[in-house]
Amino acid sequence: LNETQKMYEVNQWIIKEHPTYLFGKLNLANEYYMKEEYEKMPEILGQEMELQSLYPERKVFHLNELVAFLKSAILYDTAIGNIEQAEIRYELMEELAPDSPDTELATKQILAARLKAGHARFLEQQKNKISVITKEQVITTVTEEPSFHHKEINALYTNGLYIDREVLENILVLPRETLIQDLERVIEDSINRYSYFEKKVEEGEWDEETMNFLVHAIFLLGELKASESIEAFFSILRQSEEYSQLYLGDFAPQLFWEPLLKIAGNNLQACKEFLIKPGMTAYARSNISDMVEQLALHYPERRQEVLDWFNELLQFFLESKIEDNVIDSELIALMICNLIDIKGESLLPQIEKLFEKGLVSVEICGPWSEVQETFKRPSSYSSKREMLSIFDRYTNVTSTWGGYTEEESFESNDFNEPFLFPFEPRKGKIKIGRNAPCPCGSGKKYKKCCLD
């Protein structure tokens, strides 16, 4: 009847009449939980939060008693942030009563607590995060389509990622010099008409068949091993995160490394000079360090060259100042991850100095102690990615994320509030779109974080 206060009063009467009645105690503990008076819960459940300690004279308990007690204890543990203890209690519930509604509730309660703790940890980490100041995307009024040497290039604007092999073959046999000029013009068009295409997306006119021309150009230039197009590739990376989101989604690391390796892999000096320029986003620059990592894994004979390259960059960041607008703690952490993957333990002294100066985002690679230990452990997997032909690359992309639609979403509980007495999970009303912030609190978009 929603007479909550009377419910509490009746339970107080029960406890007064039957002071040792367990479920009366649990109802009172749950009342304190609902009122966020968490400090009072141990007064009812016992400081040790153990059923045996609460009833030392008893040796046998009914399963429902133990499970209900564990549930209330988990509510307390998660409320005060002691998730580790909550998980220990949950393991016992899972073993004894896996199908109990209380066990199901405990599962969701611990999940909510993890998400809340993760969000709080993320906010704390953001305080110490070092980022560069980036430029906003250049806004233009260009709407006119570019002209090309070869009419076949127009097919890149009318075919999505399921493009026919014949279309690609017809393009690849065109005269190399003018073909490369046309593909670079496609990249230039993506920048010049950014505002035009962004407006179309905002107005709901996004079309998979017309919005993948930049991806096509990247793949084709990579297939051509067009080393002369290195500046065109750098021009993509110079753009804002909004530009990358519009044309590439969050999949630039999967898309970029192989074409970039084929185009810039023999010019690491240019890659380094680009990476140390002020005002570049962390994830744009990490595309280059990812490529260099793969270079070492695919061509072991160039490993020392790659280690020297990373060494020069780490030394550059150690010698730079925050006001130089080149230090990004996330980028440095990502580069450390690259070095872990190629077992670059010879650079541990420089890595330690970066940690000592507070220049590393530990939420990405872990604290110094973990990083040091990771270098010592044998890897259980290989970070080496497969080199593919352009045709296999399209097959790979369309089998992973190419067929994803904006309509796909995930129905979620409200992760920010506790599950309410009588502990019936509330049906979530939030539809999380793939470009929305992830509810786990990571700060990333949903599709880049917990979607899978």
Side-chain angles (χ1 to χ4, degrees):
L1 300 177
N2 291 321
E3 295 186 35
T4 306
Q5 186 55 39
K6 189 164 186 176
M7 176 180 70
Y8 293 151
E9 291 170 0
V10 169
N11 193 58
Q12 290 286 353
W13 172 79
I14 291 173
I15 292 172
K16 183 178 180 181
E17 292 291 316
H18 308 279
T20 63
Y21 178 50
L22 174 61
F23 289 100
K25 291 176 180 288
L26 296 179
N27 283 339
L28 181 57
N30 294 338
E31 175 186 338
Y32 289 149
Y33 174 81
M34 290 307 306
K35 292 179 177 178
E36 299 184 7
E37 298 174 355
Y38 308 128
E39 72 283 354
K40 295 182 179 180
M41 294 180 73
E43 299 173 8
I44 308 302
L45 302 177
Q47 295 299 326
E48 298 179 12
M49 290 277 174
E50 295 290 342
L51 189 54
Q52 180 71 69
S53 299
L54 196 60
Y55 294 96
E57 74 286 354
R58 291 180 60 183
K59 301 300 181 185
V60 178
F61 296 90
H62 194 283
L63 180 62
N64 286 346
E65 291 181 305
L66 178 57
V67 170
F69 182 88
L70 288 169
K71 177 190 70 176
S72 294
I74 286 174
L75 290 176
Y76 172 74
D77 289 334
T78 54
I80 66 170
N82 193 351
I83 302 175
E84 183 177 354
Q85 183 60 51
E87 289 176 337
I88 293 172
R89 300 186 201 278
Y90 171 75
E91 288 177 6
L92 183 56
M93 292 181 73
E94 181 72 6
E95 179 183 349
L96 296 175
D99 299 325
S100 167
D102 285 339
T103 304
E104 181 182 356
L105 168 70
T107 305
K108 295 175 180 177
Q109 191 67 26
I110 291 173
L111 172 62
R114 284 181 189 147
L115 296 174
K116 183 178 180 181
H119 182 62
R121 188 166 57 249
F122 169 75
L123 293 177
E124 184 63 30
Q125 290 163 346
Q126 291 298 99
K127 296 177 183 178
N128 302 318
K129 176 181 173 183
I130 303 172
S131 301
V132 299
I133 301 171
T134 59
K135 297 179 181 178
E136 294 185 0
Q137 183 66 35
V138 175
I139 304 300
T140 69
T141 58
V142 178
T143 60
E144 187 177 349
E145 299 176 4
S147 59
F148 300 106
H149 295 290
H150 306 286
K151 66 180 188 310
E152 288 86 351
I153 298 299
N154 292 307
L156 304 185
Y157 290 81
T158 57
N159 284 271
L161 295 175
Y162 292 96
I163 189 169
D164 288 341
R165 179 180 181 127
E166 185 179 355
V167 174
L168 298 173
E169 289 175 339
N170 289 339
I171 291 174
L172 286 169
V173 297
L174 294 170
R176 177 183 173 89
E177 183 178 354
T178 50
L179 171 58
I180 289 175
Q181 290 174 7
D182 278 351
L183 293 173
E184 290 182 356
R185 195 165 295 173
V186 171
I187 293 174
E188 185 180 348
D189 182 42
S190 71
I191 299 169
N192 291 340
R193 287 203 290 165
Y194 165 79
S195 304
Y196 169 77
F197 286 110
E198 181 191 40
K199 184 177 180 181
K200 287 177 72 70
V201 171
E202 289 178 351
E203 294 174 351
E205 296 181 22
W206 186 91
D207 182 2
E208 201 272 337
E209 297 295 313
T210 61
M211 285 295 292
N212 281 295
F213 55 91
L214 180 61
V215 175
H216 295 316
I218 291 171
F219 282 0
L220 287 163
L221 286 168
E223 187 71 7
L224 292 167
K225 296 182 173 63
S227 58
E228 58 267 59
S229 296
I230 187 170
E231 283 302 322
F233 265 57
F234 287 164
S235 72
I236 297 173
L237 295 176
R238 286 191 193 97
Q239 305 309 308
S240 66
E241 290 188 11
E242 289 77 17
Y243 169 94
S244 180
Q245 282 290 322
L246 179 66
Y247 295 116
L248 305 175
D250 285 307
F251 302 95
Q254 291 94 319
L255 291 173
F256 233 91
W257 74 270
E258 185 176 351
L260 190 59
L261 189 152
K262 292 175 179 177
I263 287 172
N266 289 323
N267 196 346
L268 295 190
Q269 180 63 26
C271 291
K272 186 187 79 171
E273 291 173 1
F274 174 83
L275 196 145
I276 64 178
K277 288 183 179 179
M280 304 294 295
T281 67
Y283 288 98
R285 292 190 282 175
S286 69
N287 281 295
I288 293 179
S289 62
D290 283 347
M291 178 274 286
V292 177
E293 171 200 315
Q294 292 302 312
L295 184 68
L297 294 172
H298 281 273
Y299 303 98
E301 68 276 10
R302 298 187 65 182
R303 172 182 166 79
Q304 189 56 51
E305 178 189 357
V306 166
L307 290 176
D308 292 342
W309 185 85
F310 274 108
N311 181 43
E312 291 174 8
L313 284 168
L314 297 187
Q315 200 60 42
F316 168 79
F317 291 125
L318 283 170
E319 296 171 0
S320 298
K321 300 175 182 178
I322 301 298
E323 53 266 30
D324 294 336
N325 201 30
V326 293
I327 296 176
D328 191 299
S329 56
E330 288 190 350
L331 171 66
I332 293 172
L334 290 167
M335 291 176 64
I336 291 172
C337 292
N338 295 137
L339 287 167
I340 290 172
D341 288 340
I342 62 175
K343 293 299 178 184
E345 57 271 6
S346 62
L347 300 186
L348 277 171
Q350 290 90 326
I351 294 173
E352 183 178 14
K353 291 176 184 177
L354 289 164
F355 274 100
E356 290 173 351
K357 293 186 72 171
L359 302 181
V360 185
S361 288
V362 296
E363 70 272 18
I364 291 178
C365 63
W368 162 241
S369 58
E370 286 185 17
V371 167
Q372 192 176 22
E373 185 62 31
T374 303
F375 271 104
K376 297 177 182 177
R377 287 197 305 264
S379 179
S380 58
Y381 71 98
S382 173
S383 300
K384 184 178 178 180
R385 301 175 188 172
E386 190 177 7
M387 284 273 224
L388 301 172
S389 72
I390 188 172
F391 309 110
D392 291 336
R393 179 60 58 196
Y394 272 100
T395 300
N396 178 267
V397 171
T398 54
S399 66
T400 52
W401 62 273
Y404 190 89
T405 61
E406 185 68 37
E407 287 70 28
E408 293 184 48
S409 61
F410 176 75
E411 191 165 329
S412 165
N413 287 305
D414 183 350
F415 294 112
N416 295 319
E417 297 181 33
F419 294 96
L420 302 181
F421 187 87
F423 310 119
E424 286 296 324
R426 289 185 288 169
K427 186 174 177 63
K429 297 179 180 179
I430 300 174
K431 291 282 189 178
I432 304 176
R434 66 196 289 257
N435 287 311
C438 187
C440 78
S442 68
K444 300 177 182 178
K445 292 188 183 294
Y446 178 52
K447 63 185 177 183
K448 188 176 182 182
C449 195
C450 293
L451 173 64
D452 292 332

